[in-house]
Amino acid sequence: MPKHLILDAAIIATLVLPAATAATQEAIHYTPATHVFRIDTPAVTYAMGVNPAGELQAIYWGAPLAPADPIPTPVEPHELSGMETSTTITPYEYRAWGGLNFTEPAVKITFPDGNRDLVLHYVSHKIDRDGPGRDKLIITTKDISRDVFVDLIYTVDPATGVIGRSSVISNHTKEKLTIEQASSATWNLPHGTDYTLSYLTGRWAAEMQLQQQKIADGTTVLESRRGSTGQQNNPWFAITRLAPGASTPSPDEEFGEVWFGALAWSGSWRINVERNQVHDIRVTGGYNPFDFAYPLAPGGSLSTPVFYAGYSGHGIGEASRIFHRFQIANILPQRPTPRLRPVIYNSWEATEFAVDEPGQAALAEKAASIGVERFIMDDGWFGQRSSDHLGLGDWYVNKQKFPNGLKPLIDKVHALNMDFGLWVEPEMVNSNSDLYRAHPDWILNMTGRPRSEGRNQLMLNLARKDVRAYVFNFLDKILTDNDIAFLKWDYNRQWSEPGWPELGPDPEKQKTVYVEYIRNLYSILAELRAKHPKVEIQSCSSGGGRVDLGILGFTDEVWPSDNTDPFDRLSIQDGFTYAYTPQVMTAWVTDSPGSRPTGVTSTAYRFLVSMQGGLGVGSNLNHWTEADFATAKNLIAAYKTIRQTVQQGSLYRIISPRNGSEQSATESVSLDQRQAVLFVFLHTTSLNYPYPRVYLRGLDPAKQYRVTPIYGSLKKDTPETASGDYWMHHGLDPDLTGDFKAAAFKFEVQ
Ligand code: DGJ
């Protein structure tokens, strides 16, 4: 059996067992004699220790080591020469800017007397046992002379080996100091020259594009300076070690060692990937230091976001699966068993701002007839909102469009056996709105400077107490007054002129807006969820501009992109799944032709693309034919039989849609390996070549699986039933020719 299958089965075993038996071991250990800390899980060992100089030094991070394997006290490397002392190349666990440090510091502070030197030494530690294997380690470090303390916090998920790191910087001096840079963690990899960095870039309507580049000497900076996560870079990375002698990463997703991680933060962030002069690889991430300052009064402290990271010995495919499982069990608000995503209908692409009661009711009837479970009314229902130029901020129901309020529509939706969802964009305001006219001081701005608009709107300063109260109260009222199951929480511009004049002219104080805004955002979401526990929330930001592990702690799903062209969507979804679970990946079937003539992609093709995530429909159902309704009804019914596998199973990216590939394919396997689903897409046929043979992965080799088509067919000589080994090693041939064709098959244990 291939090795990756054995390990996958081991991870599955830990997931299907009750938590108490999954890991009865203590995961974090400290050996006083060597001053070494070890984190051990079935899939990962992580070790660091206190070196003779009193500083924390990384030792090992990778495949699990035997408990008895020697891990001695770390020693600083030999000096390269007097010109290059050992401290310049020591793999520090969390290094301040001070002393002889030239690598990216994790923390930088300026004191009122002008001193900017900070050198952190180990002071003490404690290990909290939060349940079987769920240990938390807090290491307290302190500057060599001043009462500045930095606590380094480590948590570990025993089932996946994903470690969470963050820090708390505390001022115990008698004077104010200013933090200028605050990272969550530095991750050290074994030194080497054979690494490839994967990361995700994009733009509006083209999010989550996978980039891969060899890591060379120097620094690659992944970041957002936009006040929020952003579409241009996502706060996720993966680093693959090349096979010996190889110059590019293995095209086989199941091969090779991979270190990966993501920041749980929805504000400006930065991840630096460095290779230094002796080929040490370090990844440092946290708050973006650009335009950043956080003054700390005596007794004050600042905590950083959590930077999660994991290790896979079996390729980037397994790295994704580990991270997907981690997110489902540890991050999402309904963790560890989030509800499956319902099939939704969303009105945006059908009606845009022209929503009204009869129009939405007619769409709801049609949506219900094909098996939709949740009807969501998008933008346009409130204030004077007839376009994106006005009304944002005025959260009262528009009486021309809904003369009797929202209740009649909501009742209608319920009578059709669906629940009701509503679009809101709480953090924004149009300058043409009652709210802005009443409170022009509530927005991010710098006194006397222009107030630049994006999508004709300005940003409310959510860091302000009064703005936070306004936003919470109007959302609370909407949810109290109406029977609403879901909020689509939109956010359609990035920050500019991010001043906070209310705090006075001190620029350092004003810069705390980068932290306080996001904290208030999270606290509003948390309070709303606590008060309205049945309400689910989607994070949308002009598509996928706010997808990160921070917002995913409070939202049940995300909207990956405003680009709903089904072919374009294949590469967006492909990139998305490198970092995030399909459980949160909403995908709509729409009328969008994208760059292709309308009609080139069939209704079934569109459905099969969207059925790889949380299925939704956004088409104008008033324009559908009888045949479209019949196809939709069949495929939605089929989706309901496979959605648990698709949303929460193990995803295998079988053929990538990237780099002009003529085909693409994904497979999802249920955690108990009793069901698998295969989606295959033919983008174009050139020179009449057959579709490549597809080899399934992750099945139980000895079990018999029966294949049934969800849509399309296999070549005639394909057996109906065969062993897992057969489907994985003999493979199967989809019967597809032409351009923009798709098929899907279900495999079930007999
Ligand atoms: C941007 C979102 O991504 C769309 O889905 C839609 O909700 C519009 N905003 C509404 O203004």
Side-chain angles (χ1 to χ4, degrees):
M1 185 196 290
K3 250 180 138 193
H4 69 269
L5 296 179
I6 300 171
L7 191 91
D8 245 21
I11 292 175
I12 287 162
T14 62
L15 280 161
V16 293
L17 290 172
T21 47
T24 46
Q25 305 281 317
E26 290 173 348
I28 302 183
H29 291 102
Y30 171 67
T31 307
T34 52
H35 236 7
V36 166
F37 297 91
R38 262 182 84 144
I39 303 177
D40 289 290
T41 71
V44 178
T45 292
Y46 184 96
M48 50 149 172
V50 183
N51 68 21
E55 290 164 314
L56 275 165
Q57 190 172 317
I59 303 175
Y60 175 80
W61 180 28
L65 302 180
D69 277 340
I71 303 191
T73 306
V75 285
E76 292 175 304
H78 292 301
E79 288 186 357
L80 293 178
S81 86
M83 314 284 199
E84 193 129 46
T85 60
S86 66
T87 52
T88 64
I89 53 172
T90 302
Y92 292 110
E93 187 72 1
Y94 189 95
R95 173 80 196 206
W97 190 68
L100 276 167
N101 178 35
F102 306 105
T103 52
E104 183 63 35
V107 56
K108 180 174 186 305
I109 286 178
T110 292
F111 293 87
D113 62 357
N115 172 47
R116 283 140 23 239
D117 183 66
L118 189 75
V119 177
L120 298 172
H121 278 189
Y122 168 88
V123 175
S124 63
H125 73 271
K126 71 175 176 143
I127 301 173
D128 293 338
R129 307 285 178 198
D130 287 347
R134 295 222 156 258
D135 297 348
K136 180 177 179 184
L137 167 66
I138 302 168
I139 302 178
T140 299
T141 63
K142 181 189 163 299
D143 178 59
I144 47 176
S145 70
R146 301 193 174 202
D147 284 341
V148 174
F149 289 79
V150 180
D151 282 353
L152 307 182
I153 300 167
Y154 296 75
T155 57
V156 58
D157 173 40
T160 58
V162 172
I163 294 168
R165 290 183 55 190
S166 60
S167 64
V168 183
I169 303 154
S170 307
N171 177 10
H172 292 190
T173 72
K174 293 196 167 53
E175 287 185 280
K176 181 193 101 169
L177 55 79
T178 300
I179 302 170
E180 291 169 346
Q181 194 159 333
S183 299
S184 310
T186 294
W187 301 98
N188 290 270
L189 274 64
H191 71 267
T193 54
D194 45 1
Y195 288 99
T196 296
L197 172 67
S198 300
Y199 58 104
L200 294 164
T201 62
R203 58 182 159 83
W204 177 76
E207 292 86 341
M208 303 288 179
Q209 300 303 302
L210 187 73
Q211 311 297 333
Q212 295 189 307
Q213 68 191 35
K214 202 160 180 232
I215 299 181
D217 285 2
T219 302
T220 302
V221 179
L222 311 177
E223 67 170 345
S224 163
R225 298 178 173 190
R226 296 162 179 261
S228 75
T229 325
Q231 273 135 328
Q232 292 66 21
N233 271 197
N234 188 274
W236 167 85
F237 75 91
I239 295 176
T240 308
R241 185 148 63 198
L242 300 181
S247 58
T248 55
S250 166
D252 183 345
E253 290 235 335
E254 311 306 323
F255 180 84
E257 292 193 276
V258 182
W259 293 261
F260 58 92
L263 265 176
W265 187 241
S266 312
S268 288
W269 58 273
R270 193 174 81 173
I271 296 175
N272 274 19
V273 181
E274 282 178 277
R275 191 174 90 181
N276 71 3
Q277 64 274 39
V278 291
H279 302 153
D280 293 325
I281 308 286
R282 298 175 193 189
V283 181
T284 302
Y287 295 126
N288 195 328
F290 177 81
D291 194 39
F292 181 88
Y294 202 93
L296 281 188
S301 66
L302 172 69
S303 41
T304 66
V306 182
F307 197 173
Y308 292 101
Y311 164 82
S312 153
H314 302 277
I316 201 161
E318 187 182 77
S320 303
R321 289 188 291 279
I322 290 172
F323 223 18
H324 295 170
R325 289 172 192 139
F326 171 75
Q327 291 160 18
I328 287 173
N330 295 275
I331 298 288
L332 296 182
Q334 298 180 22
R335 60 188 177 270
T337 48
R339 265 191 71 207
L340 293 176
R341 298 295 77 220
V343 179
I344 66 103
Y345 180 81
N346 181 290
S347 66
W348 173 245
E349 293 201 21
T351 52
E352 295 209 342
F353 300 96
V355 294
D356 60 18
E357 193 184 314
Q360 294 296 299
L363 285 171
E365 272 178 20
K366 295 189 169 93
S369 77
I370 52 174
V372 165
E373 297 159 310
R374 173 172 289 167
F375 182 86
I376 301 158
M377 179 162 66
D378 211 280
D379 202 348
W381 59 270
F382 55 90
Q384 299 309 308
R385 185 79 166 163
S386 52
S387 75
D388 61 13
H389 286 264
L390 74 170
L392 209 48
D394 299 340
W395 298 105
Y396 56 85
V397 179
N398 181 302
K399 285 284 178 198
Q400 280 84 48
K401 298 176 178 179
F402 298 91
N404 301 306
L406 296 179
K407 190 165 186 312
L409 176 64
I410 296 178
D411 287 349
K412 166 96 184 171
V413 166
H414 289 162
L416 290 165
N417 222 6
M418 300 182 290
D419 64 28
F420 182 80
L422 192 65
W423 180 96
V424 287
E425 191 174 0
E427 299 152 80
M428 304 285 172
V429 65
N430 285 122
S431 48
N432 186 356
S433 68
D434 299 342
L435 185 68
Y436 185 67
R437 282 184 281 273
H439 298 287
D441 52 326
W442 274 12
I443 66 159
L444 287 177
N445 74 95
M446 295 186 186
T447 308
R449 303 295 303 171
R451 299 175 169 208
S452 304
E453 299 196 354
R455 205 198 187 204
N456 314 305
Q457 60 199 52
L458 297 161
M459 301 251 350
L460 288 174
N461 180 359
L462 207 58
R464 288 175 62 123
K465 279 203 180 73
D466 44 9
V467 173
R468 188 213 178 277
Y470 169 80
V471 169
F472 175 80
N473 289 338
F474 91 72
L475 288 166
D476 181 39
K477 184 163 166 30
I478 291 175
L479 295 177
T480 305
D481 293 352
N482 301 286
D483 191 351
I484 288 177
F486 175 85
L487 287 179
K488 173 174 171 179
W489 184 301
D490 209 343
Y491 174 93
N492 284 308
R493 63 157 295 180
Q494 310 292 324
W495 296 21
S496 62
E497 300 107 10
W500 185 352
E502 189 193 14
L503 297 187
D506 178 350
E508 287 185 351
K509 269 195 186 164
Q510 292 206 16
K511 289 177 185 172
T512 61
V513 71
Y514 287 104
V515 175
E516 303 308 333
Y517 181 110
I518 305 299
R519 284 187 175 167
N520 276 357
L521 169 67
Y522 290 163
S523 83
I524 292 172
L525 286 162
E527 203 178 334
L528 282 175
R529 293 196 78 106
K531 199 158 171 207
H532 306 278
K534 291 209 182 100
V535 175
E536 296 187 337
I537 304 176
Q538 180 190 80
S539 169
C540 172
S541 173
S542 309
R546 194 150 68 184
V547 181
D548 61 77
L549 295 187
I551 203 80
L552 280 172
F554 304 94
T555 56
D556 305 272
E557 58 179 58
V558 297
W559 179 229
S561 181
D562 276 351
N563 186 340
T564 58
D565 173 86
F567 177 67
D568 288 354
R569 199 72 179 200
L570 287 174
S571 65
I572 293 170
Q573 293 183 173
D574 176 72
F576 187 99
T577 65
Y578 278 87
Y580 302 104
T581 164
Q583 163 82 28
V584 302
M585 185 178 78
T586 319
W588 304 344
V589 173
T590 72
D591 305 325
S592 166
S595 44
R596 273 155 289 287
T598 310
V600 165
T601 53
S602 67
T603 302
Y605 180 96
R606 290 158 191 255
F607 265 93
L608 297 190
V609 170
S610 298
M611 285 163 69
Q612 296 170 91
L615 175 62
V617 179
S619 304
N620 190 338
L621 301 180
N622 299 321
H623 300 160
W624 268 17
T625 62
E626 283 302 310
D628 290 330
F629 279 104
T631 305
K633 203 170 171 178
N634 279 340
L635 289 177
I636 288 175
Y639 176 73
K640 289 174 183 170
T641 70
I642 56 164
R643 70 172 140 190
Q644 174 136 25
T645 299
V646 166
Q647 294 179 20
Q648 299 183 349
S650 302
L651 175 72
Y652 295 83
R653 291 176 292 260
I654 304 270
I655 307 175
S656 164
R658 277 174 285 117
N659 306 324
S661 163
E662 291 186 2
Q663 311 86 12
S664 61
T666 68
E667 179 204 358
S668 300
V669 183
S670 63
L671 293 185
D672 63 5
Q673 293 173 293
R674 296 193 66 79
Q675 186 188 67
V677 189
L678 173 69
F679 293 94
V680 289
F681 299 89
L682 178 58
H683 313 150
T684 180
T685 303
S686 61
L687 303 174
N688 230 1
Y689 282 115
Y691 199 93
R693 181 158 290 183
V694 175
Y695 301 93
L696 298 190
R697 294 185 188 264
L699 302 182
D700 182 330
K703 291 235 160 62
Q704 291 289 312
Y705 291 84
R706 175 189 291 273
V707 59
T708 41
I710 293 170
Y711 184 85
S713 52
L714 293 163
K715 284 275 164 66
K716 279 203 181 60
D717 53 354
T718 311
E720 265 182 28
T721 303
S723 68
D725 260 338
Y726 180 94
W727 300 118
M728 293 192 289
H729 301 300
H730 175 281
L732 53 109
D733 293 317
D735 194 4
L736 286 179
T737 47
D739 295 341
F740 299 116
K741 295 290 184 291
F745 308 94
K746 180 159 77 172
F747 297 80
E748 280 168 318
V749 169
Q750 290 310 289

